[in-house]
Structure formats: structure tokens, C-alpha cells
């Protein structure tokens, strides 16, 4: 599963794996793919340094990258306290009432939330980059589109390629104009923040729009046949995220959450603003239903919503309150029916890819050539 881009980066398979878990990122790279560590949960630079040290020690010299979340435009002088103060009291009360309805216990006194999305704030991301650029990362991806121009320049000075996610051809062209190197065309089926256009339509549109920039296809991809389809549509690789959540190397906080993922079908997700304030595909739960209900107060814009629900999400996860328990995940969750190692996922991807290529060759009358 090699392409020009994978050869440039020195990886065996053009499979880019996004994950918040260092052990998964390292395993993806060791398996011949390209592991990309999500940095949004690292609010302290020392925590990111610790995990990048770990990856360096466990990646066997293979390349890897980092994914941050930062806006293209810089906002000066805004602190987390300033943002917190913007949250209406009515929304805080709605969170309290919803948790009380399901009997969710409080965190222990002095226990901090383990799920703070301060990583959405630009200065936090810049602090992450100050750490990351001391490591031999080969790729910097930004989940909110093109990073600021000075960040792109800083990456290029270090021979680090820059990728940006796009949900439309129009967005992809803006990324190209911003000097990025790789566009990730993320379809409607994807987990987390995603747009309205399905991968089968989006991928070739983006490929044509930004030619000759390499494009990675994302959204609803979890088999080798789908990898082959993405390459047939003009992509130079695939960007996979959800499929790694049920790998044995992942560190999901809740056994019940893993059970829910393994039992879920492809129709059991929903695009909701309940988690961050932007539409994000996730498991449908009574928590998402409450926020999406006409009886609720409505969600707040990013980053207010993420700060508002941070403690609540931590409590729901810690106490495994099943009706409310969820996570960002794509429609590919319907194929995630057992816990497997990262290597086993790659073995399945390569077998499926070979079968798909053989099938097309037979259709084209080139079998055995």
C-alpha cells in the first residue's frame, strides 16, 4: 500500500493513524504506517514531553507526527478564565440537572477533571509545538484547517510537512493557498469534527481541486478494500482514527465504553455539538439526545461548550454511567466488533487491499500480469 507520499515519508503503507494514545501511535508506525499523536488533551508541556519521549523509545526509529488544534487567526490576550466567564449560568444548571437525573456522582474533593479541552486555545497549541519541534516529528497536522502562517513556516524550516483537514473542496483550496503540504479530505462518515459531504464524493473533488498536492482520504475507512477505493479516487493515502479505539494498545478509560463500541452499528452515531460546540460525530447517547433536544438550552460555540462539559464528561467516564457514556467515533464503528492489536488491524488492511486490487485486475482483464 505504497504511494509517492508514503515513500517520501519512508513508510511501508500509506496509512496515517490518528490517535490520542502514545502506545497506539508507536504501534502504527512500527507496523509500517504513520502514527500521528493527537495533542489536544495535553494542557501541560511536560506531559507532552513525557509521551513524546516514550514514543521515541518505542517507535523503533520509524517516523511519526503530531496533530494539534489551532485557529488560523490569532486572538491576543484571551485566557481560560476569560472564556469560562462567558458561559451562561443557565447552561451550567442544565449540566447539573442532567447529571443529577442520572445519579452521576461528584468527583472526589480536589480531583481535577481529566478531560479539559483547553487545547482548543491557541497558546496551548503553541506551547505544544515548542515541545514537539525538539523531536524528529515528520508531520504536523491541524484539525481546524490551516495553521497560522508563522507555524507553517516554522515547520518547513525543520523539514516537517504540514497537513490540514478539509470538509469541502473550497476549504482544501484555502489550505493550498496557505502553504500546507497535504490535505486530509475528511468525509461526513468520520468520527470527531466533520462536515456534510460523504467521502466518496469529497475525495475526488479535493484531489482535483488541489492537484498536485497529495490528498489523504478520511471518514468511514476501516478495511483494505476501502483503502484501495481511496487510492482509486486519487488519494495518496488514508487517514484513520476511529478504528484504533478498540485496539489492545488503546487506553480508553472505561470497559463499558469499549463494550458499547464493540456492540454499536454504523447507524449508532450522531453529529452533535454536545462535546465541543462544533459538529462532531460520536456515539449517540442520552447525553447527546439531551443537548440536541428542543427542550434544552442549545450548545455553546467552541471552546465554551468543551469547557462547560469537561467535568461532566470526566464524571460520566469515571463512574461509567452507561446511558450517558460515549466518545467521538465514526460510522466505521459497525466494523469494530472485536478487540485486536494494531498489527492485526494492519494485517487485515493489507489482506483486504490485495483482494480488492486482484478483483479490479480481473475485471480489467489483467489477472496474473
Amino acid at each position: 500500500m505504497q504511494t509517492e507520499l508514503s515513500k517520501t515519508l519512508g513508510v511501508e503503507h500509506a496509512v496515517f493513524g490518528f490517535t490520542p494514545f502514545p502506545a497506539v501511535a508507536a504501534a502504527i508506525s512500527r507496523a509500517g504506517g504513520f502514527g500521528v499523536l493527537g495533542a489536544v488533551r495535553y494542557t501541560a508541556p511536560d506531559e507532552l514531553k513525557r509521551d513524546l519521549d516514550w514514543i521515541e523509545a518505542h517507535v523503533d526509529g520509524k517516523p511519526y507526527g503530531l496533530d494539534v488544534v489551532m485557529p488560523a487567526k490569532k486572538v491576543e490576550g484571551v485566557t481560560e478564565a476569560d472564556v469560562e466567564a462567558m458561559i451562561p449560568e443557565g447552561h451550567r444548571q442544565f449540566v447539573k440537572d442532567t447529571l443529577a437525573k442520572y445519579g452521576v456522582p461528584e468527583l472526589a474533593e480536589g480531583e481535577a477533571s481529566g478531560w479539559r479541552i483547553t487545547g482548543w486555545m491557541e497558546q496551548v497549541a503553541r506551547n505544544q509545538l515548542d515541545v514537539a519541534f525538539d523531536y524528529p516529528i515528520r508531520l504536523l497536522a491541524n484539525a481546524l484547517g490551516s495553521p497560522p502562517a508563522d507555524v507553517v513556516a516554522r515547520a518547513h524550516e525543520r523539514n516537517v510537512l504540514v497537513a490540514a483537514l478539509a470538509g469541502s473542496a473550497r476549504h482544501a483550496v484555502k489550505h493550498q493557498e496557505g502553504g500546507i503540504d497535504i490535505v486530509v479530505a475528511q468525509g461526513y462518515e468520520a468520527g470527531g469534527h466533520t462536515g456534510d459531504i460523504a467521502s466518496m464524493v469529497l475525495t475526488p473533488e479535493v484531489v482535483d481541486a488541489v492537484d498536485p498536492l497529495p490528498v489523504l482520504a478520511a471518514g468511514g475507512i476501516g478495511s483494505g478494500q476501502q483503502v484501495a477505493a481511496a487510492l482509486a479516487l486519487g488519494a495518496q493515502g488514508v487517514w484513520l482514527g476511529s478504528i484504533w479505539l478498540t485496539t489492545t494498545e488503546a487506553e480508553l478509560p472505561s470497559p463499558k465504553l469499549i463494550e458499547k463500541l464493540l456492540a454499536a452499528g454504523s447507524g449508532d452515531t450522531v453529529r452533535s455539538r454536545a462535546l465541543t460546540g462544533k459538529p462532531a460525530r460520536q456515539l449517540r447517547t442520552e447525553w447527546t439526545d439531551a443537548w440536541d433536544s428542543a427542550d434544552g438550552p442549545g450548545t455553546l460555540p467552541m471552546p465554551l461548550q468543551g469547557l462547560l462539559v469537561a467535568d461532566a464528561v470526566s464524571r460520566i467516564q469515571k463512574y461509567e454511567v452507561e446511558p450517558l457514556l460515549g466518545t467521538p467515533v465514526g460510522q466505521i464503528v459497525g466494523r469494530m466488533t472485536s478487540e485486536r492489536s494494531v498489527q492485526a488491524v494492519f494485517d487485515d488492511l493489507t489482506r483486504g487491499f490485495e483482494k480488492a486490487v486482484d478483483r479490479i485486475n480481473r475485471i480489467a482483464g489483467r489477472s496474473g500480469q
Side-chain angles (χ1 to χ4, degrees):
M1 296 190 292
Q2 273 206 339
T3 65
E4 182 179 344
L5 178 60
S6 66
K7 292 176 183 177
T8 297
L9 288 168
V11 295
E12 182 180 359
H13 303 301
V15 175
F16 293 71
F18 165 81
T19 174
F21 306 122
V24 176
I28 290 169
S29 291
R30 289 199 308 271
F34 191 99
V36 182
L37 179 66
V40 70
R41 68 190 179 97
Y42 294 97
T43 57
D46 287 348
E47 294 173 353
L48 179 59
K49 183 179 186 305
R50 175 201 64 204
D51 283 354
L52 288 176
D53 283 340
W54 190 94
I55 289 176
E56 274 290 299
H58 292 84
V59 81
D60 294 347
K62 302 292 181 63
Y64 62 94
L66 191 75
D67 180 278
V68 298
V69 179
M70 61 192 313
K73 295 181 180 179
K74 187 172 183 179
V75 179
E76 300 281 1
V78 178
T79 67
E80 182 178 345
D82 294 331
V83 176
E84 287 269 14
M86 301 176 189
I87 298 174
E89 184 56 37
H91 282 71
R92 295 187 188 278
Q93 189 61 48
F94 180 75
V95 170
K96 293 177 182 177
D97 292 344
T98 304
L99 296 179
K101 177 181 176 181
Y102 291 91
V104 183
E106 297 276 358
L107 295 175
E109 185 175 352
E111 183 178 359
S113 165
W115 197 87
R116 299 290 287 179
I117 311 191
T118 52
W120 303 116
M121 303 183 70
E122 182 184 353
Q123 189 54 52
V124 175
R126 287 183 176 274
N127 292 340
Q128 293 165 351
L129 293 178
D130 289 340
V131 172
F133 282 141
D134 287 335
Y135 291 81
I137 62 171
R138 294 295 312 282
L139 176 72
L140 173 67
N142 186 34
L144 283 185
S146 301
D150 68 296
V151 172
V152 175
R154 191 177 175 193
H156 287 166
E157 288 171 1
R158 291 163 173 78
N159 198 31
V160 175
L161 297 181
V162 180
L165 276 65
S168 71
R170 178 173 56 86
H171 293 155
V173 170
K174 287 185 177 180
H175 298 338
Q176 185 180 37
E177 293 170 349
I180 63 97
D181 306 291
I182 301 167
V183 174
V184 181
Q186 180 166 286
Y188 171 83
E189 308 95 326
H193 296 121
T194 187
D196 301 315
I197 306 173
S199 298
M200 182 64 74
V201 175
L202 179 66
T203 301
E205 284 187 354
V206 171
V207 168
D208 290 344
V210 302
D211 184 58
L213 280 189
V215 172
L216 301 178
I221 300 172
S223 72
Q225 292 90 334
Q226 291 168 311
V227 176
L231 300 190
L233 293 172
Q236 286 205 30
V238 293
W239 178 274
L240 308 184
S242 297
I243 198 72
W244 316 112
L245 289 174
T246 52
T247 56
T248 53
E249 293 91 343
E251 303 163 18
L252 283 179
S254 163
K256 284 187 178 179
L257 179 55
I258 295 174
E259 292 175 7
K260 290 187 75 170
L261 287 169
L262 297 176
S266 56
D268 293 328
T269 67
V270 63
R271 282 174 76 241
S272 171
R273 297 177 184 268
L275 197 61
T276 67
K278 283 184 175 290
R281 186 171 296 284
Q282 55 202 280
L283 280 180
R284 182 176 181 177
T285 67
E286 294 185 32
W287 177 256
T288 62
D289 285 350
W291 279 104
D292 296 337
S293 169
D295 297 331
T299 55
L300 299 171
M302 180 186 283
L304 300 182
Q305 183 73 14
L307 292 172
L308 169 66
V309 305
D311 288 339
V313 172
S314 289
R315 290 163 60 185
I316 291 166
Q317 291 181 346
K318 176 178 179 178
Y319 298 110
E320 295 190 298
V321 184
E322 197 276 339
L324 306 179
L325 190 61
T327 185
V329 69
Q331 291 180 333
I332 197 64
V333 70
R335 294 184 64 96
M336 296 157 51
T337 57
S338 64
E339 291 188 77
R340 300 177 293 167
S341 68
V342 168
Q343 183 61 61
V345 172
F346 267 89
D347 291 342
D348 183 60
L349 289 172
T350 53
R351 283 193 297 267
F353 181 82
E354 290 169 357
K355 288 180 180 178
V357 172
D358 287 344
R359 184 183 305 118
I360 295 301
N361 281 334
R362 288 196 301 272
I363 293 171
R366 292 195 295 268
S367 181
Q369 296 184 11

